[in-house]
Amino acid sequence: MKPTIYDVAKEANVSIATVSKVLNNTGRISEKTKSKILQIMKELEYQPSSVATALTGKKTFTIGVLVPDIANPFFAEVARALENNAREMGYSIILCSTDYQLEREHDYLELLIKKQVDGIIIATEPKDLKKLRSLNDRNVPSVLFSIDHLAIDSHVVTTDDLKGGYLAGRYLIEKGHRDFVIITEPQRASGVLRVEGFKKALVDEGVDLEGVLVIEAKSKINEARKAANQILRLPKRPSAVFASTDLIAAIFINEVRKAGVSVPQDISIIGFDNTIHAEISDPGLTTIAQPIAKLASYTIEQLLDAIENPSIPPNRIMLAPTLIERESVRDLNK
Amino acid sequence: MKPTIYDVAKEANVSIATVSKVLNNTGRISEKTKSKILQIMKELEYQPSSVATALTGKKTFTIGVLVPDIANPFFAEVARALENNAREMGYSIILCSTDYQLEREHDYLELLIKKQVDGIIIATEPKDLKKLRSLNDRNVPSVLFSIDHLAIDSHVVTTDDLKGGYLAGRYLIEKGHRDFVIITEPQRASGVLRVEGFKKALVDEGVDLEGVLVIEAKSKINEARKAANQILRLPKRPSAVFASTDLIAAIFINEVRKAGVSVPQDISIIGFDNTIHAEISDPGLTTIAQPIAKLASYTIEQLLDAIENPSIPPNRIMLAPTLIERESVRDLNK
DNA sequence: CAGGTAAGGTTAAGCGCTTAACTTCACCGA
DNA sequence: TCGGTGAAGTTAAGCGCTTAACCTTACCTG
């Protein structure tokens, strides 16, 4: 069996309290006793049970991460970055894919509470608002990652989507484009903001919004294909397309090529997220990069702050996205 | 504060033992008392602490999953499938990315033991053999996922990589190919098996192995690019390439196109894994699919079996891969 | 109507650890 | 010589839950 603190204590001829003290580096113990105990721990391969520790009111050093779908490259990167930062701080992560379903979100939240996680990171568009709000009453600190929802009184760490859209719009205009189509995910707050920012850029540069078509497509292969083909069939083909995710953009490039239309010669495209799709697509996809690593480190920082001090008021941190220039946008000025 | 079993008991005017009984559906309680207690639990939004439950010797309903890198699409899919199956069985998952580093593997294993997980799934090429073997002594059931290592006495659930390679080889030969180059990951057992299977197919079909070049490349963007270009510069270009991962294959397609060489007209390629890269690449990548969903469900099944009954001898389950035909291989017979 | 029985509880110990409060003892200065 | 002091431990309660063993009633039966 796994050795317990009693085994160590007995072996060392001391009380368990003494052993506990060397575990936590508290109280007074002579160097001699201490090293003896440490020695014995090694011999027995003793590992304190974090379950028992947690029961005494200490932390579980576990945080829950809610994502919609870990198989989506963006969220996979997010999970990776969060895990990395958490690990460095001594925390581990319980992974929860909600699959965009209210029920799963609900169940997972209950589960995380039951498991006494120290905090929860929500990277999925929240559906179960009631449950989420109840997190506060239950003193479970939470951080919204890359999403924002005024109805929830948590910390927020997100990309400035509005600005991201704006960057994309301004860039295309600088490159001489004037006719646009937007492909965006329906019912996603960040998608809405991206489009809004994009349009704002057009307005600021004096482009008429009337002619701008907005097509809705989820960030899934078949929907993205459909959207791409819809654009190809348009009577007046736009000179540039703004896709609200890289997956949509990458598929657009492929569909368009199949139709004998060339990117960026015949049509330009700009994506969002800077996932691996953007990097390996051909031509390389110009896109708006979310600063995932930074978002993750701020998120963990905020969460740990909130864990240490539950009463601090929720901050809303917005990090600037950056434009990554590759080869999918043609410069019409040249 | 979070209500405890005491709060419920007090409110219901019964002892905590009674409450515990309704929680576990054991012992005798009158319907009346039971429904009253259930009612009160609802009102208080009582959730039993799984930490306390775990301490009484019950399970934690948590399993650890070790992957090398969750940002890799293959492992992201794996994590997703495992999580899905685990959730259905009432388990949740602690995610551990080892980043191919012995140290992290080691630390995570210690952590998982400390957290008293009920079992561990290892989907990363194991490095810390000693620690892994010690899992057995500590009665922590484990399953090797998609890898195999005779030195470790765990259950194994894996794709039949040998057969996968064989399938790829036979397919290419059926399509009339005779000159091959293989791109494979170095130091990866499954990679070795894939290559071996591939070669076996060639031998069985009477193709001389002498002319078959094997290039090593990690499944990373830059290494894959390098490998692709190395092939392009070859004095005698092969008619078909076998890449041991989809990422390598997808990048190969792009690099080759940039060089003005067309897939599959000028050169054919076949991948392995059937990740999203295979699906969205252009042309669609013909590849060997690992039955991820099935692997995951068998893995969870084996692990739960081992948790219930630690003494069952370790099984080794090998699931057959299948060939997914898309458009990246040319039929030379036509 | 004594004694058995079963239903519906309760009591209390224990899981592995933390921690406030207490004990013990050596040593010190006046 | 004696009280005071500080170092090094120990004692014991408590965290929230489970469970074996026990208790109390009501009811049944010969």
Side-chain angles (χ1 to χ4, degrees), chain A residues 45 50 55 61-62 69 80 83 87 92-93 97 99 104 108 114-115 138 254 257 280 282, chain B residues 45 50 55 61-62 69 80 83 87 92 95 97 99 104 108 114-115 138 254 257 280 282:
Chain A
E45 297 191 19
S50 53
L55 192 57
F61 288 98
T62 307
D69 178 7
R80 175 108 158 83
E83 189 204 333
R87 186 180 42 73
S92 49
I93 276 187
S97 293
D99 211 16
R104 293 222 182 138
Y108 265 130
K114 230 180 172 159
K115 295 225 166 166
R138 292 176 167 275
N254 286 341
R257 178 173 38 229
I280 72 174
D282 172 36
Chain B
E45 297 191 17
S50 53
L55 191 57
F61 288 99
T62 307
D69 178 7
R80 174 110 158 82
E83 189 206 332
R87 186 179 42 74
S92 49
L95 178 67
S97 293
D99 211 16
R104 293 221 182 140
Y108 266 131
K114 232 183 176 157
K115 295 225 168 170
R138 291 176 167 274
N254 285 342
R257 177 172 39 230
I280 71 173
D282 173 36

Side-chain angles (χ1 to χ4, degrees), chain A residues 254-270:
Chain A
N254 286 341
E255 289 301 307
V256 151
R257 178 173 38 229
K258 281 183 201 159
V261 176
S262 156
V263 172
Q265 283 71 37
D266 305 329
I267 191 165
S268 295
I269 174 128
I270 190 164

Side-chain angles (χ1 to χ4, degrees), chain B residues 274-314:
Chain B
N274 194 34
T275 57
I276 192 168
H277 295 313
E279 201 173 349
I280 71 173
S281 80
D282 173 36
L285 180 66
T286 293
T287 189
I288 306 296
Q290 298 208 43
I292 294 187
K294 269 201 186 135
L295 287 171
S297 80
Y298 273 93
T299 300
I300 297 293
E301 195 185 325
Q302 288 290 307
L303 189 62
L304 298 199
D305 271 10
I307 291 172
E308 295 312 327
N309 185 354
S311 61
I312 52 174

Side-chain angles (χ1 to χ4, degrees), chain A residues 244-255:
Chain A
S244 75
T245 76
D246 281 350
L247 181 65
I248 295 176
I251 289 173
F252 179 87
I253 290 180
N254 286 341
E255 289 301 307

Side-chain angles (χ1 to χ4, degrees), chain B residues 134-178:
Chain B
S134 82
L135 288 182
N136 286 347
D137 311 339
R138 291 176 167 274
N139 290 317
V140 183
S142 59
V143 177
L144 295 182
F145 181 97
S146 187
I147 48 173
D148 197 351
H149 212 301
L150 284 174
I152 302 168
D153 206 26
S154 318
H155 295 267
V156 174
V157 177
T158 142
T159 300
D160 191 340
D161 285 301
L162 196 70
K163 188 167 172 198
Y166 195 90
L167 279 179
R170 201 175 54 191
Y171 178 80
L172 289 178
I173 287 172
E174 275 171 8
K175 296 296 172 190
H177 294 272
R178 290 296 179 274

Side-chain angles (χ1 to χ4, degrees), chain A residues 1-3 44-52 54-55 60-63 68-73 76-77 79-80 83-84 87-88 90-99 104 108-111 113-116 131 134 137-139 221 225 247 250-251 253-255 257-258 276-277 279-284 327, chain B residues 1-3 44-52 54-55 60-63 68-73 76-77 79-80 83-84 87-88 90-99 104 108-111 113-116 131 134 137-139 221 225 247 250-251 253-255 257-258 276-277 279-284 327:
Chain A
M1 263 325 287
K2 206 168 169 275
L44 299 181
E45 297 191 19
Y46 168 73
Q47 288 279 42
S49 152
S50 53
V51 170
L55 192 57
T60 54
F61 288 98
T62 307
I63 62 194
D69 178 7
I70 188 75
N72 172 319
E77 299 247 5
R80 175 108 158 83
E83 189 204 333
N84 241 323
R87 186 180 42 73
E88 277 171 14
Y91 284 75
S92 49
I93 276 187
I94 294 190
L95 180 65
C96 308
S97 293
T98 66
D99 211 16
R104 293 222 182 138
Y108 265 130
L109 285 172
E110 298 246 303
L111 185 91
I113 290 175
K114 230 180 172 159
K115 295 225 166 166
Q116 237 119 290
K131 192 95 217 157
S134 83
D137 311 341
R138 292 176 167 275
N139 289 318
I221 296 176
R225 284 205 177 124
L247 181 65
I251 289 173
I253 290 180
N254 286 341
E255 289 301 307
R257 178 173 38 229
K258 281 183 201 159
I276 191 167
H277 296 312
E279 201 172 350
I280 72 174
S281 80
D282 172 36
E327 302 87 35
Chain B
M1 260 327 284
K2 206 168 168 276
L44 299 181
E45 297 191 17
Y46 168 72
Q47 288 280 43
S49 151
S50 53
V51 171
L55 191 57
T60 54
F61 288 99
T62 307
I63 62 194
D69 178 7
I70 188 75
N72 173 320
E77 299 246 5
R80 174 110 158 82
E83 189 206 332
N84 242 321
R87 186 179 42 74
E88 277 172 13
Y91 285 76
S92 49
I93 276 187
I94 293 190
L95 178 67
C96 308
S97 293
T98 66
D99 211 16
R104 293 221 182 140
Y108 266 131
L109 284 172
E110 298 246 301
L111 185 89
I113 290 174
K114 232 183 176 157
K115 295 225 168 170
Q116 236 120 290
K131 193 94 216 158
S134 82
D137 311 339
R138 291 176 167 274
N139 290 317
I221 295 177
R225 286 207 174 120
L247 181 66
I251 288 171
I253 290 180
N254 285 342
E255 289 302 306
R257 177 172 39 230
K258 280 183 201 158
I276 192 168
H277 295 313
E279 201 173 349
I280 71 173
S281 80
D282 173 36
E327 302 86 34

